[in-house]
Amino acid sequence: MLVDDQVLLRTGFRMVLAAQPDMEVVAEAGDGAEALEVLRSTAVDVVLMDVRMPRLDGVEATTRICAPAKAAAAAGRTDAEKHGPKVLILTTFDLDEYAFSGLKAGASGFMLKDVPPGELLAAIRAVHSGDAVVAPSTTRRLLDRFSPMLPHTGAGPQHKELERLTDREREVMVLVAQGLSNGEIAARLVLSEATVKTHVGRILTKLGLRDRVQVVVLAYETGLVRAGGGAG
């Protein structure tokens, strides 16, 4: 589903997606309120969500769409990703200060509005398969910009759930938040990539998170990682 208050943008995205044999635009909406209404009667896998819209903005709409999946993840449900569609936030980045809120709301990532068609298509396919669409390094640059908005209180991590992590898992979480891929983390810690993937999966399960994007957000929010890339 395409959600944007600019008809021309929706038309452009629809033309690109319609040319793909494995994609179909099943619905459109001009704002968040209309999107929620449409979702009550239309099955959607991925929502491409604008941020700034009348009536109900993309952040609040994303919060409501992702609430069931976040609740399932927090409860340790292994089928959390099946609860509702995935959301890709659309942002102008330099002007849009709501992108961080969108990630916190449960979006699987964010895209720039001028994204090349090939990157947009790859991102949609990645989200549909359960991956986060933005590289952690890209997310980190966004969070560095908005770090003054994060509720840092005190010198150390403030999220009690982090106590569930082993020392190794916390080490892996810091490296994920610093933008390293599984392969890079494996090289840094002298582990196999499969072992790193297992650690990341355990981190997601223990913390009730959906994907790596949410790991990055939590690491910054709790102070485990500070703006600039250092561990808290």
Side-chain angles (χ1 to χ4, degrees):
M1 179 166 68
L2 305 176
V3 185
D4 197 300
D5 60 334
Q6 298 183 49
V7 177
L8 285 178
L9 273 177
R10 295 205 310 266
T11 300
F13 284 133
R14 176 183 279 274
M15 289 176 63
V16 171
L17 301 181
Q20 304 305 306
D22 59 339
M23 295 185 189
E24 180 183 3
V25 177
V26 297
E28 294 185 24
D31 57 54
E34 184 180 358
L36 293 174
E37 184 176 342
V38 170
L39 284 174
R40 293 189 184 100
S41 59
T42 305
V44 174
D45 293 319
V46 178
V47 178
L48 203 57
M49 179 77 74
D50 187 20
V51 173
R52 299 185 180 186
M53 296 179 291
R55 292 207 298 169
L56 190 70
D57 66 38
V59 173
E60 180 58 29
T62 298
T63 299
R64 298 185 192 183
I65 291 171
C66 297
K70 290 185 72 176
R77 294 278 298 277
T78 57
D79 62 344
E81 65 178 22
K82 298 179 181 179
H83 290 254
K86 307 294 178 53
V87 177
L88 287 183
I89 292 287
L90 285 170
T91 174
T92 53
F93 185 63
D94 288 333
L95 302 176
D96 196 351
E97 274 124 27
Y98 301 116
F100 173 71
S101 297
L103 294 177
K104 281 193 65 179
S108 295
F110 69 92
M111 304 291 295
L112 302 184
K113 280 195 172 183
D114 60 355
V115 61
E119 291 184 21
L120 173 66
L121 297 171
I124 292 173
R125 292 186 178 104
V127 167
H128 182 255
S129 69
D131 293 332
V133 306
V134 288
S137 57
T138 304
T139 307
R140 177 183 161 197
R141 287 196 296 271
L142 175 70
L143 296 181
D144 280 346
R145 174 183 174 129
F146 297 135
S147 59
M149 302 160 64
L150 301 179
H152 293 316
T153 55
Q158 300 298 315
H159 197 287
K160 64 179 181 180
E161 300 301 319
L162 294 181
E163 297 175 2
R164 298 181 180 179
L165 302 181
T166 65
D167 289 343
R168 176 65 86 186
E169 288 165 353
R170 185 179 292 232
E171 191 174 11
V172 169
M173 183 174 178
V174 169
L175 295 177
V176 168
Q178 291 177 345
L180 276 65
S181 67
N182 285 352
E184 292 168 334
I185 294 172
R188 177 78 64 89
L189 300 181
V190 194
L191 300 171
S192 70
E193 193 165 342
T195 298
V196 173
K197 186 174 181 180
T198 297
H199 283 312
V200 172
R202 288 174 179 166
I203 291 168
L204 295 177
T205 299
K206 288 183 178 182
L207 301 182
L209 304 175
R210 286 180 55 175
D211 52 42
R212 294 172 75 99
V213 172
Q214 297 294 301
V215 171
V216 177
V217 170
L218 183 63
Y220 273 73
E221 187 176 41
T222 59
L224 184 64
V225 171
R226 300 291 189 184

